[in-house]
Amino acid sequence: MLKKKPSSKIKILGIETSCDETGIAILEVEKGKFKIKENLVASQAKLHAKYGGVYPNLAKREHQKNLPKLFSLIEKSLLKSPPDLIGVTVGPGLDPCLWQGIEFAKKIAKEFNSPLVCADHLIGHLLANFLDFSIEKAKKFHPALGLLVSGGHTQLVLMEKFLKFKVLGETRDDAAGECFDKCARILGLSYPGGPEIEKLAKKFPEISSKIPKNLKNLKLPRPMINQKNYDFSFAGLKTAVLYDFMKRPKKERESEIYKILMAKEIQSAVFDVLIEKTKRAQKEFKIKKLFFGGGVLANETLRKRIKKEFKKCQVLIPKKEFCLDNGLLPATFAFFYSYQKTTDLEKIKSSPNLSF
Ligand code: KG4
Ligand code: ZN
């Protein structure tokens, strides 16, 4: 539990190791506003690219290596004034990776005698929206609808009261980010697939007048778009991409035009479903406040579409760099949940399947 009054200056250390980014951040709260002091991220994406996805034991070793490296860059600042709070991501995520962050955070918490808050990665993604808000304003942001779209999760949540979440629906199989990563692999693109697919899709205007006849009707399904629930399913989309890819002659499926058209269609299919389900929930629950989060929200096409589709609502999307995993997510979480009693350090453990 926070020892200082929430109205005084507070220094928070955030530690993130749930997947393939090692993140350490220092967030300060003063006069009711957040100030980002440090946001260090060591990405392992290039390392995992050859496996086409995250290889957990390799990721664990990288976190082990990167945590002290990043920490050494901010240690001076902590020695000058120790953290009032430490937030560490305990889940959801890859278990061996989570443990690296947890053990590291425990050591620092002991060293500085600072309370440690167990941060939920999913809630952290949504709370990142409040980094450039005043805290008072943030606490009034309800009732709200939240859409979380990352590599491991796709969830639509209702936040009736501030920080009181209820899951309306989620993916029954692959997450949207995972779908991008798997489709990218089929197309021979590197990991992570989302940014690669976005890059290709952006080239569409260059080829729009040159589309050959046999590629004119390239169309993918919009899974579950008409079902009156808030669940998602993206595994079938990946299979549809695979079938289309396999049925075409090698020369055709390896052509730049095919890849551009496919990338654009994959994006449209995923985003159509995300937007349609969110729209339906927004209407059903008559909600005027919406907030989004997770790595897929770094996608410019999705950001633009959301802003266009929900013009009459108050829409929050974190800055692009804050959509991806970083230490500010557990730090922001730690601040908003700082009233929680600190658990005995020795009892803190990972929660790889943690949900809202
Ligand atoms: O939130 P995040 O950094 O990690 C998890 O918590 O999973 O999300 C990573 C996911 C990956 O699947 C990646 O392909 C996707 O976000 N992603 C994107 C973009 N940037 C990252 N998807 C679409 N467009 C992007 N620009
Ligand atoms: Zn994430």
Side-chain angles (χ1 to χ4, degrees):
M1 203 183 308
L2 184 65
K3 292 167 197 157
K4 273 186 181 173
K5 275 191 190 153
S7 55
S8 46
K9 188 171 167 178
I10 297 166
K11 186 173 190 170
I12 312 162
L13 175 70
I15 299 175
E16 157 64 41
T17 61
S18 67
C19 193
D20 59 345
E21 327 276 0
T22 317
I24 291 196
I26 297 182
L27 186 63
E28 279 187 3
V29 185
E30 195 179 11
K31 296 188 183 138
K33 286 215 156 134
F34 289 111
K35 225 186 230 166
I36 298 165
K37 292 300 215 183
E38 297 283 357
N39 183 23
L40 308 173
V41 179
S43 173
Q44 310 169 7
K46 279 201 184 115
L47 217 72
H48 296 285
K50 58 174 178 268
Y51 302 101
V54 183
Y55 189 62
N57 278 329
L58 180 60
K60 173 192 150 177
R61 281 205 300 275
E62 285 301 301
H63 288 308
Q64 203 171 11
K65 209 167 70 188
N66 291 335
L67 279 167
K69 261 195 208 165
L70 295 186
F71 188 72
S72 70
L73 302 175
I74 58 152
E75 199 169 5
K76 246 193 198 161
S77 143
L78 294 183
L79 289 172
K80 250 195 240 158
S81 65
D84 301 298
L85 267 180
I86 301 175
V88 63
T89 304
V90 297
L94 300 169
D95 201 37
C97 298
L98 291 166
W99 273 112
Q100 291 302 315
I102 294 170
E103 292 302 348
F104 196 79
K106 279 186 190 172
K107 207 174 80 193
I108 298 169
K110 271 187 212 156
E111 225 168 276
F112 290 105
N113 192 24
S114 311
L116 184 60
V117 178
C118 299
D120 178 321
H121 184 63
L122 305 183
I123 297 180
H125 267 304
L126 290 179
L127 295 181
N129 279 296
F130 300 130
L131 281 167
D132 51 10
F133 252 54
S134 78
I135 284 140
E136 273 318 298
K137 214 169 128 194
K139 287 183 178 169
K140 287 183 191 144
F141 193 80
H142 62 88
L145 193 63
L147 180 70
L148 188 277
V149 198
S150 71
H153 295 82
T154 307
Q155 283 184 323
L156 198 53
V157 297
L158 186 63
M159 185 174 77
E160 277 176 323
K161 293 254 159 60
F162 190 60
L163 304 184
K164 293 273 173 273
F165 296 97
K166 185 176 147 197
V167 177
L168 297 179
E170 60 198 322
T171 183
R172 294 185 181 172
D173 40 57
D174 293 352
E178 189 179 358
C179 173
F180 281 130
D181 296 337
K182 287 179 174 171
C183 290
R185 202 171 170 183
I186 296 169
L187 296 178
L189 309 171
S190 68
Y191 171 85
E196 294 300 309
I197 286 183
E198 177 173 25
K199 250 187 258 163
L200 268 178
K202 271 188 184 161
K203 289 187 179 173
F204 177 75
E206 292 169 26
I207 58 121
S208 61
S209 59
K210 304 181 221 163
I211 304 171
K213 233 188 186 170
N214 48 344
L215 291 178
K216 278 226 156 84
N217 298 323
L218 207 155
K219 188 92 184 144
L220 293 171
R222 270 64 177 156
M224 296 183 74
I225 199 162
N226 295 317
Q227 288 191 21
K228 307 277 176 255
N229 56 40
Y230 299 114
D231 282 349
F232 304 90
S233 164
F234 295 107
L237 197 53
K238 165 204 66 195
T239 313
V241 172
L242 183 64
Y243 281 159
D244 190 274
F245 184 83
M246 296 305 287
K247 79 174 187 207
R248 294 182 189 272
K250 195 167 180 308
K251 199 169 164 211
E252 187 175 304
R253 70 190 189 205
E254 283 178 0
S255 69
E256 174 91 341
I257 292 194
Y258 174 74
K259 289 187 187 175
I260 292 172
L261 287 173
M262 197 44 127
K264 188 171 179 285
E265 181 61 10
I266 294 166
Q267 270 196 178
S268 301
V270 172
F271 298 163
D272 282 354
V273 179
L274 292 175
I275 290 193
E276 185 56 33
K277 296 257 170 175
T278 310
K279 253 188 181 171
R280 201 176 302 136
Q282 185 261 322
K283 280 187 190 139
E284 184 186 329
F285 295 96
K286 298 185 179 63
I287 296 221
K288 291 280 184 198
K289 292 176 165 62
L290 279 87
F291 60 161
F292 297 79
V296 178
L297 268 302
N299 186 292
E300 278 170 29
T301 307
L302 179 60
R303 298 169 76 90
K304 275 189 205 143
R305 278 194 64 180
I306 290 170
K307 284 176 191 155
K308 200 170 142 216
E309 301 277 355
F310 299 102
K311 265 196 188 128
K312 290 185 181 156
C313 298
Q314 186 185 2
V315 170
L316 306 183
I317 309 174
K319 280 193 187 125
K320 250 170 117 173
E321 70 262 37
F322 301 154
C323 289
L324 302 168
D325 292 351
N326 65 76
L328 293 169
L329 312 183
T332 320
F333 182 100
F335 174 76
F336 285 114
Y337 287 81
S338 59
Y339 56 84
Q340 277 186 351
K341 263 201 176 152
T342 315
T343 346
D344 178 354
L345 276 187
E346 299 313 319
K347 287 190 184 145
I348 292 179
K349 49 182 179 37
S350 69
S351 303
N353 301 316
L354 190 65
S355 183
F356 277 94

